[in-house]
């Protein structure tokens, strides 16, 4: 089978890109031919496969022409036509394509009667700002009141102009029924599926299929160096300041923080002002191998998010190695953490309960050992690459069969 994978970034920027590249590897491991469609960038990763790149769009340039290209790009449509005619895929699998690639790439795929799969890594289809977060709090105003809320609140980088552009794009997708042209939407959590239906993206075939992690290496030795670990983007929605406040009251444990982001300065100030240098260690940006080493040596991992997480790779990667996870009870997180089995859930934005759960794992080594075993066991039962491959392949086959029967 020949699969064209589409994503606006062709380097490891976030979860969508991790999925995009790992799905490509997984499909190739099973003998399929893969090609990639994305945007030009000096950071792009060379895959050794066919790659088709459109010209980059700078959303910060303020150019009227680029603004129009966000909604519909004739150049991107032409590049997709070239890719389809050259590679001749059996199926096209979209990931994050909005804005930089635009809706224009859909038309040539439909014209050639090629099935389209779309993995909804975020809620861009129902929220112009994608995050459903405003001033650090959950916001569903665009579903309840309409897209005008995005403009009123200046949700896109606190800019009215950028918010207007995002709303114009979202309104165009609604008017032209872009998502209706997609044959199957993959929701990486039941929560995301419910949100899409709530946001009236309900006329598609929506299938829940949790993300996967390639089993990159066997874990020969797992240490417990007595620290809690957070890894990911240092931003408000990740709840990192909640975690730091919770760890402040813990007497017998340390917190290691891996990552970079806009909240780094605030974190450093908080640590300094509260004299927490001995308790909290900032590791900075780490590559994937380095992160795995720190997970392996941790006692447990904490996911303190205060926004609608989808299917966080940080949880799956921790489970694959075999460590307990403490996570906030929001979005898709409760679907991955079985409370008191492979970790703990705590009430959303509840710092006191988070502190309590952290204390439990710092003070009970037997519980940590039990939850570690459960974590790895659950991973291989539900989230292994082989499990994912059998399901995604069946989706591809069914859609191709449906197209041929039309």
């Amino acid at each position: 089978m020949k699969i064209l994978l589409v994503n606006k970034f062709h380097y490891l920027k976030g979860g969508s890109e991790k999925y995009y590249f790992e799905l490509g590897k997984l499909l190739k491991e099973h003998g399929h031919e893969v090609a990639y469609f994305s945007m030009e960038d000096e950071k792009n990763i060379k895959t050794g496969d066919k790659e088709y790149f459109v010209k980059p769009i700078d959303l910060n340039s303020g150019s009227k022409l680029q603004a129009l290209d966000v909604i519909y790009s004739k150049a991107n449509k032409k590049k997709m036509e070239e890719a389809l005619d050259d590679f001749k895929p059996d199926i096209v699998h979209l990931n994050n394509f909005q804005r930089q690639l635009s809706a224009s790439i859909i038309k040539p795929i439909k014209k050639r009667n090629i099935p389209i799969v779309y993995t909804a890594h975020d809620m861009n289809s129902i929220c112009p700002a994608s995050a459903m977060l405003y001033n650090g709090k959950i916001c569903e105003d665009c579903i309840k009141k309409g897209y005008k809320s995005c403009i009123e609140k200046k949700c896109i980088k606190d800019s009215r102009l950028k918010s207007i552009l995002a709303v114009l794009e979202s309104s165009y997708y609604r008017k032209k029924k872009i998502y209706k042209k997609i044959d199957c939407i993959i929701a990486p959590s039941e929560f995301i599926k419910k949100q899409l239906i709530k946001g009236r993206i309900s006329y598609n075939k929506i299938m829940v299929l949790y993300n996967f992690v390639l089993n990159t290496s066997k874990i020969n030795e797992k240490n417990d160096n007595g620290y809690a670990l957070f890894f990911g983007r240092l931003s408000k929605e990740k709840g990192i300041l909640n975690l730091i406040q919770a760890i402040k009251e813990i007497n017998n444990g340390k917190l290691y923080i891996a990552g970079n982001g806009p909240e780094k300065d605030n974190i450093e100030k908080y640590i300094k002002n509260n004299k927490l240098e001995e308790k909290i260690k900032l590791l900075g940006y780490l590559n994937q191998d380095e992160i795995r080493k720190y997970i392996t040596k941790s006692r447990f991992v904490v996911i303190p998010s205060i926004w609608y997480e989808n299917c966080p790779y940080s949880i799956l990667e921790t489970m694959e190695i075999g460590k307990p996870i403490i996570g906030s009870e929001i979005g898709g997180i409760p679907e991955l953490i079985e409370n008191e089995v492979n970790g703990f859930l705590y009430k959303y934005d509840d710092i006191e309960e988070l502190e309590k759960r952290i204390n439990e794992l710092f003070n009970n080594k037997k519980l940590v050992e039990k939850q570690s075993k459960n974590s790895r066991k659950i991973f291989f039962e539900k989230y292994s690459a082989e499990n994912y491959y059998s399901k995604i392949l069946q989706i591809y086959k069914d859609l191709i069969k449906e197209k041929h029967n039309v």
Side-chain angles (χ1 to χ4, degrees), residues 218-236:
K218 292 180 180 178
I219 307 299
N220 297 318
E221 183 181 354
K222 284 200 295 262
N223 300 318
D224 180 352
N225 288 7
Y227 61 82
L229 177 66
F230 169 91
F231 61 98
R233 180 171 163 79
L234 305 186
S235 51
K236 284 182 181 178

Side-chain angles (χ1 to χ4, degrees), residues 357-373:
R357 293 308 194 184
I358 289 171
N359 255 323
E360 283 185 69
L361 290 185
F362 271 138
N363 294 320
N364 193 333
K365 268 199 156 188
K366 285 188 177 178
L367 179 60
V368 170
E369 288 170 7
K370 180 184 175 183
Q371 291 188 349
S372 293
K373 288 178 183 176

